[in-house]
Amino acid sequence: VIAVVFCFVNASSFKYIAKPKITPALAGDFLKLQTITPKNSWIWTWWDYGYAIQYLAGRGVYHDGGSQYSPKTYFVARTFSTKNPQEAWNIISFITNYGLAGVSHFLKSGISAKELLKKIKQGKLVKEIKTPVYWVFTKDLIPKFTWINYFGTYNFDTKKGIFESILVPQTCYKITDQVYNCLIFNTKAQIDLNNGIITFPQGTQPIKVIYYKTSYGLKEKKFFDKGYVIELIKTKTGLTGIFLLESDLADTMFNQMYILRKYDPRYFELVYDDFPIMVVYKVKKLPGR
């Protein structure tokens, strides 16, 4: 009787099927870090998979669940949201050489957070990066980028950041070679790649530029001075991903380096491209080296 009662009370537990938090493809790429990075490497990425990278790749990370409430969250977010590759490199150099202890030291000495960021951006605290550092971008960061960008664009005067999203249509159907019918946040939209117009139920919106990314390179087609940025990215499986961005997000390091795979070779080197699962860059020790 006790056994029957126990099973009845816990019926929902037996029906529950645990789903993995990391896809097999991403887990495989994290394991791949063991072969594409030296053993003493450190991984620069967002905190969510910090522990997973340590476990699967056996590599140190700057940012994980234990440090998400530290100042490192701002600095890591800033590298993703900045439009300046030199600034991103300067921040990585600063955190690598000074760490949280350095941040605390400068703040306790009377320098404000705003002044500290200014010194870092100007390169006044730059040192050679002697430890191998690799910047990792993963697919899960696309929906998370709204908040990453908010933290990274935080204004110390207004106490606010920029809250904008990279939109990925739920579904898209090709009407012609240049026209797609898409569902974006449960809203129907028609994307006209020939005329540079997006038609929503409430009206039309202009397209500023369209990027076409294939294995042969990157092409762009400009339309208006203002408007959405549309990116059509062909993956190695042959599928084409469509991304809609506010123009402010188009030049961020996240979009440039991860989605478009455009980067400044003075500061970074592309070493692994498994888009959209994972893209990895080596951070140069010194600019140009």
Side-chain angles (χ1 to χ4, degrees):
V1 172
I2 294 174
V4 171
V5 172
F6 175 81
C7 291
F8 177 77
V9 172
N10 291 279
S12 60
S13 299
F14 292 111
K15 293 178 182 178
Y16 175 73
I17 299 176
K19 296 181 180 179
K21 298 298 182 182
I22 302 178
T23 65
L26 183 56
D29 274 353
F30 284 163
L31 289 169
K32 184 74 175 179
L33 288 171
Q34 294 182 11
T35 59
I36 64 175
T37 66
K39 288 184 178 181
N40 63 332
S41 299
W42 280 75
I43 305 301
W44 183 273
T45 192
W46 196 239
W47 67 267
D48 290 72
Y49 286 143
Y51 291 136
I53 292 173
Q54 293 176 67
Y55 176 72
L56 294 171
R59 300 293 183 264
V61 297
Y62 289 86
H63 204 207
D64 56 33
S67 61
Q68 61 170 304
Y69 296 108
S70 75
K72 278 194 288 187
T73 294
Y74 169 75
F75 285 110
V76 173
R78 182 73 188 179
T79 60
F80 281 95
S81 65
T82 183
K83 301 174 184 179
N84 188 334
Q86 182 179 7
E87 179 185 338
W89 187 92
N90 287 351
I91 290 173
I92 297 173
S93 169
F94 172 77
I95 294 297
T96 301
N97 287 289
Y98 291 91
L100 284 178
V103 174
S104 178
H105 168 76
F106 284 109
L107 295 179
K108 288 181 179 179
S109 69
I111 296 177
S112 67
K114 182 179 178 179
E115 291 172 327
L116 177 59
L117 177 63
K118 184 177 180 180
K119 285 181 176 292
I120 296 171
K121 290 171 63 174
Q122 292 175 341
K124 293 183 178 180
L125 299 174
V126 162
K127 290 184 180 181
E128 179 180 358
I129 301 175
K130 296 181 179 180
T131 302
V133 177
Y134 291 80
W135 193 348
V136 171
F137 298 83
T138 49
K139 184 179 180 180
D140 63 289
L141 298 181
I142 296 175
K144 296 172 184 175
F145 185 67
T146 302
W147 280 107
I148 294 174
N149 188 63
Y150 180 86
F151 296 137
T153 57
Y154 184 81
N155 186 302
F156 294 103
D157 296 322
T158 63
K159 311 297 182 184
K160 293 180 180 180
I162 298 173
F163 197 81
E164 292 179 342
S165 302
I166 294 176
L167 304 179
V168 181
Q170 294 154 276
T171 57
C172 271
Y173 300 94
K174 184 183 286 188
I175 305 302
T176 69
D177 286 340
Q178 295 296 311
V179 179
Y180 287 82
N181 278 350
C182 298
L183 192 64
I184 305 171
F185 289 149
N186 296 317
T187 299
K188 293 181 180 179
Q190 186 172 92
I191 302 175
D192 187 336
L193 304 178
N194 189 48
N195 296 306
I197 295 293
I198 304 176
T199 303
F200 294 98
Q202 64 271 29
T204 60
Q205 292 289 333
I207 295 174
K208 180 178 180 180
V209 61
I210 298 174
Y211 289 102
Y212 299 87
K213 172 69 176 177
T214 68
S215 58
Y216 299 104
L218 181 67
K219 295 181 180 180
E220 64 178 82
K221 186 177 181 180
K222 295 182 179 180
F223 289 97
F224 300 97
D225 293 334
K226 296 181 179 180
Y228 278 101
V229 173
I230 303 291
E231 298 174 348
L232 288 87
I233 313 298
K234 193 168 185 178
T235 67
K236 63 181 182 181
T237 61
L239 297 175
T240 299
I242 299 179
F243 302 89
L244 283 76
L245 299 84
E246 298 283 355
S247 58
D248 286 345
L249 300 183
D251 292 330
T252 61
M253 291 298 97
F254 180 77
N255 182 58
Q256 292 289 308
M257 294 178 68
Y258 170 59
I259 298 179
L260 298 181
R261 260 88 15 104
K262 286 178 63 181
Y263 62 97
D264 192 325
R266 293 175 297 173
Y267 305 100
F268 309 103
E269 176 188 350
L270 180 63
V271 296
Y272 186 69
D273 185 354
D274 186 27
F275 183 87
I277 308 302
M278 186 174 79
V279 176
V280 182
Y281 289 89
K282 180 180 180 181
V283 181
K284 298 288 185 73
K285 292 183 177 182
L286 284 172
R289 290 176 57 185

